[in-house]
Every structure is written in C-alpha cells, then in structure tokens.
C-alpha cells in the first residue's frame, strides 16, 4: 500500500483491510511511522514518539477478528490520558520527569480494541489556550498551511490526522478543544455529553465537569464507532451518561427526521466575526433548508457574562488547583519560572477567589444549563460558527512582549487587582476568537464541528451544531446527512 492509498481510508476502513487479510497491521504501522518521520519536524504534532512501543504492542497483541479497530495506528493527546511507563507532560515544564504509573481506563479500552498507540500529541500548557504553542514544546502548525494555527488544545492530534499520519486520534474538550482544532484542520470533531467517556481512574471530573474526552476523525462513522466502543464506565464514576437506545453507528443510515434549527453569526461579546465564518454558517443554513429542515435566524441564547465572568472565574480556580496537584505529585512546589507567565497569573488569581465566590460562579453554570435546556425545547440544534476567526498565523493570539512583561511584573509583585484587570483583558482577546464553544462545556451538552467550508486561502472553516444534553443521536444523524451532501474526505492537506 502506498501512502496516498493509506490516507484514503478512515480508521474503520483500515481495520476492515486488516481483518480481510488485504494488508497487515505491521504494514499500516510502518506507513504511519514513516509519515510521522517525514512531516513531524515541520508540523510538531507529536511531542513524544512511541514507535517502538507500538511495535511491541503489535508483537505481543496482534489484532483479532473481533476487534473493531484492530491494527489501526493511533495517537493520544498528551494531556488527560495516562499511558503506563510514559511521560505525561500536559504541555508544561513543571511536569518534566513525571511518568505515569497506570493506564487510564480509556487507554485500556483502546488497546483492547486493537488501536496501536504510536505517540502522544502536542498540547498547550494545561490545555488552556485555543492554539497549540506551549513554551515547553513549541508550536504545532497546520498541515493545510504551515504558517497557520492548528487550533487548540488538541492541535497536535488534529494536525497529525490532517497530515495523514493517523486517521483518528484522541482529543479532549474543556472549552472547545475538540471542535476548534477540527475547524482549523478540516476534520470532524464531536464533543460528547458530560459523562459519556470515562476520565478515570485519575479523575472523576475535570474543570467542574467541563472537560470531556473524545476524538478527532476524518469521518463521521469513525467518531460514532469511537463513542459506541469506548463509552464504558470505570469504577466510581461521578457522571455517567445514559446509554443510547440505538448505537450511534446504526443511526448513520437512518432516515433523517425534520429538525428545527436556529442559527446565528452574531458574536456574544459584540465583536467582529470573520466573513469566512459567517459565510460557512449561511451556506450551511441554506443547505439545511434545501434538505427540508426548518431553519431560522435567532438571537444567541447566552450572553457575554457567561464567558467573561462565569467561565473565567472557575478556570482561574482550576489552574490554581492544577499547580497544587502537580506540586503534590512531584513532592515540591511548582515555581513561577516553571510555568508560563499567564498560567502562573491565573493560578494566583485562583488562589485569591473565595470559596463563596467559587461556589457562586459554579451555580451560574447550572443556571446556564437550565436556560440552554429551555432553548432546546424549541430547537433541536443551534448552528453557529465554530470559532469567530478563520485559522490565523501562528503567534497571533500570543501575548505581546509588553503584555508578557506586564504580567511578569504584576505576578512578581502580586498586585492582585491590576493583575486581574490585565488577565481579563487578555481573556477577552481569547474569547474574541472562541465565543461559541465554551457554553456546551459549562452545560454538558454535545456539540460538533463539521468541515463544510474552505476559504480563499485553502484553509478549512468549521461550523458548529449544539444539541440538548445526551442527544448525540440528533447530531450524528444530521452529520451523516451533511457528510453525504457535502463530502470532505477527498480533500487532503498537501504538507
């Protein structure tokens, strides 16, 4: 098999070739490793290669006829999932030397299903930014145009898939980190409902339930099979989403129902939205109407404060907690020089939040969930841009040298009120780009980004659909319909 033939298949397609004897898993793994060696220096998608680990896994556990993904090359994001005996760096200098002592529950399921883990993918420090440019490992670049961002925080996984190294990889999402890289890299990315996939044994919840595990993939059916296969609880789950009545994979050929879909291209902070992103939504709305769905322009069902106050305050607290967890694990306190300046500033602000304030802002997440639930009594889905900007040049959303100097001075002097004002200003710079995705993280709803538009520069621009909590079934049926009407698999990045 040539590389050009290899990249024509999704994960399920490659697994079927192995099962039918048309190719061996060893051949697939060699193609994936060769491709990684060819492009990773340029893209910086994989920050910890595990090529020999994958070969040993294959030698010790060859694929069987019953494994859905038997023999498929695979990558895991270097953030929440632990792989025994390997580093778990989470994009930070502070975790140097830390090695996982156990496999995460999902990793055990991946191996049981026959996926061959050949590396870990790059992520921003603690998964905090919508671009993948950690100081510890450097920027990941977009295979469609290497001067541009691959998104974040699952930018390494998305870039590796778009470059053809693997057909599918893990991604996690605490504020849009499955969906934003999918938009930037021309992939399908569905954020599952809270509790759909286990975070165990390391965590019962992460970021107050905002974080979920999932995947980026080239096809809708791979993501459906991923959820069907790996939605298995581990011991002591804090959340567990109800099992769907019908496997998601079986819904992809079902007759589509007529949906009522509200759409908007407005920015909840009142800021500009790129014409590319507006055009992607408007074209999709017309396509949906042609398919027979009821589509109407509506006001957004959430507001500025849901992001700039309600979401941001809890993230400050979570960053503070993360530094405490790392300090306890390694037995020494994380110093200011061991994390990025903005990360340390967020942690100090988290330290300054009272327990009462933290509980108050957490209660507002519940209020938002009720509001969104009421919205979905009228509309099956909300359609928006995935992000408010098309992929931007690497470094564009980084703090300027002056901003970095100011944060360093304020954190050194611990000038709380000035530091908070500066961080809120920087946060607004980030929310200018990602005003839509964090809502589903606060509420626990499923949401998906679909690659239905490419701009004049040849860069992908995603559109996002959000459904009521636990209604992945609606999203998968709609995704299959749109994939058939406007296929994207034949589009490949030529990095």
């Amino acid at each position: 098999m040539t590389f050009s033939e290899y990249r024509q298949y999704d994960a399920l397609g490659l697994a079927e070739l192995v099962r039918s004897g048309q190719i061996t898993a060893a051949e697939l793994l060699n193609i994936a490793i060769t491709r990684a060696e060819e492009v990773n220096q340029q893209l910086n998608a994989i920050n910890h290669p595990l090529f020999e680990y994958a070969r040993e896994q294959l030698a010790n556990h060859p694929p069987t006829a019953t494994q859905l993904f038997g023999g498929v090359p695979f990558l895991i994001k270097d953030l929440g999932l632990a792989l025994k005996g390997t580093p778990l760096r989470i994009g930070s200098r502070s975790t140097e030397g830390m090695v996982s002592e156990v496999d995460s529950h999902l990793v055990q399921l991946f191996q049981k299903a026959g996926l061959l883990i050949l590396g870990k993918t790059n992520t921003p420090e603690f998964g905090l930014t919508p671009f993948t440019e950690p100081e510890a490992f450097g920027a990941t670049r977009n295979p469609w145009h290497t001067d541009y961002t691959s998104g974040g925080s699952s930018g390494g996984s998305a870039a590796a898939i778009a470059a053809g190294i693997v057909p599918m990889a893990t991604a996690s999402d605490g504020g849009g980190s499955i969906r934003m890289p999918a938009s930037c890299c021309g992939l399908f990315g569905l954020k599952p409902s809270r509790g759909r996939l286990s975070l165990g044994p390391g965590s019962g919840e992460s970021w107050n339930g905002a974080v979920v595990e999932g995947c980026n993939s080239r096809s809708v059916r791979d993501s459906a099979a991923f959820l069907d296969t790996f939605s298995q609880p581990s011991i002591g789950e804090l959340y567990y989403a109800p099992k769907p009545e019908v496997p998601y994979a079986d819904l992809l050929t079902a007759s589509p129902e007529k949906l009522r879909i509200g759409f908007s291209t407005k920015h909840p902070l009142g800021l500009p939205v790129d014409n590319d992103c507006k055009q992607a939504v408007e074209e999709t709305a017309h396509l949906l109407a042609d398919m027979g769905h009821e589509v109407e322009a509506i006001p957004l069902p959430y507001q500025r404060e849901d992001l700039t106050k309600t979401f941001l305050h809890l993230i400050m607290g979570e960053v503070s907690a993360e530094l405490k967890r790392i300090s306890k694990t390694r037995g020494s306190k994380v110093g200011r020089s061991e994390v990025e300046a903005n990360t340390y500033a967020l942690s100090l602000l988290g330290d300054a939040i009272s327990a009462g304030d933290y509980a108050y802002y957490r209660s507002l997440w519940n209020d938002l969930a009720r509001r969104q639930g009421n919205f979905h009594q009228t509309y099956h889905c909300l359609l928006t841009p995935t992000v408010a900007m098309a992929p931007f040049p690497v470094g564009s959303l980084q703090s300027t040298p002056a901003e970095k100097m100011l944060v360093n001075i304020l954190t050194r002097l611990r000038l709380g009120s000035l530091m908070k004002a500066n961080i809120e200003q920087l946060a607004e710079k980030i929310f200018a780009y990602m005003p839509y995705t964090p809502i589903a993280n606060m509420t626990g709803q499923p949401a998906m980004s679909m690659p239905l538009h490419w701009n004049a520069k040849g860069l992908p621009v995603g559109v996002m659909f959000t459904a009521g909590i636990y209604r992945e079934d609606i999203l998968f049926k709609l995704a299959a319909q749109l994939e058939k009407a406007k296929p994207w698999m034949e589009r490949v990045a030529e990095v």
Side-chain angles (χ1 to χ4, degrees), residues 150-167:
S150 63
S153 64
S154 306
S157 288
I161 299 166
I165 298 172
V166 293

Side-chain angles (χ1 to χ4, degrees), residues 105-244:
H105 176 68
L106 278 178
V107 168
Q108 295 175 39
L109 296 178
F110 297 156
Q111 293 173 334
K112 185 178 179 181
L115 289 165
L116 301 176
I117 300 170
L118 60 94
K120 291 187 172 184
T121 59
N122 200 18
T123 182
E125 187 167 65
F126 302 169
L128 285 173
T129 61
F131 47 87
T132 302
E133 302 172 22
E135 291 177 6
F137 295 101
T140 295
R141 296 177 177 273
N142 194 321
W144 295 93
H145 193 315
T146 55
D147 288 339
Y148 287 78
T149 184
S150 63
S153 64
S154 306
S157 288
I161 299 166
I165 298 172
V166 293
M168 180 175 69
T170 74
S172 56
D173 195 315
S177 294
I178 290 173
R179 293 158 286 161
M180 292 184 288
S183 177
C184 289
C185 293
L187 306 174
F188 180 73
L190 186 143
K191 171 211 168 291
S193 294
R194 183 175 298 156
R196 185 68 67 196
L197 293 170
S198 175
L199 303 178
S203 178
E205 68 170 13
S206 180
W207 285 15
N208 278 272
V211 172
V212 296
E213 290 288 344
C215 72
N216 284 143
S217 64
R218 292 186 64 211
S219 70
V220 172
R221 70 172 192 160
D222 274 357
S223 285
F226 185 93
L227 284 194
D228 285 336
T229 304
F230 303 124
S231 296
Q232 301 180 37
S234 61
I235 297 169
E237 294 292 2
L238 185 61
Y239 303 108
Y240 184 59
K243 189 177 179 67

Side-chain angles (χ1 to χ4, degrees), residues 21-35:
Q22 297 179 62
I23 196 167
T24 67
E27 288 179 86
L28 292 184
L29 184 57
N30 285 335
I31 292 171
I33 290 172
T34 298
R35 179 60 173 170

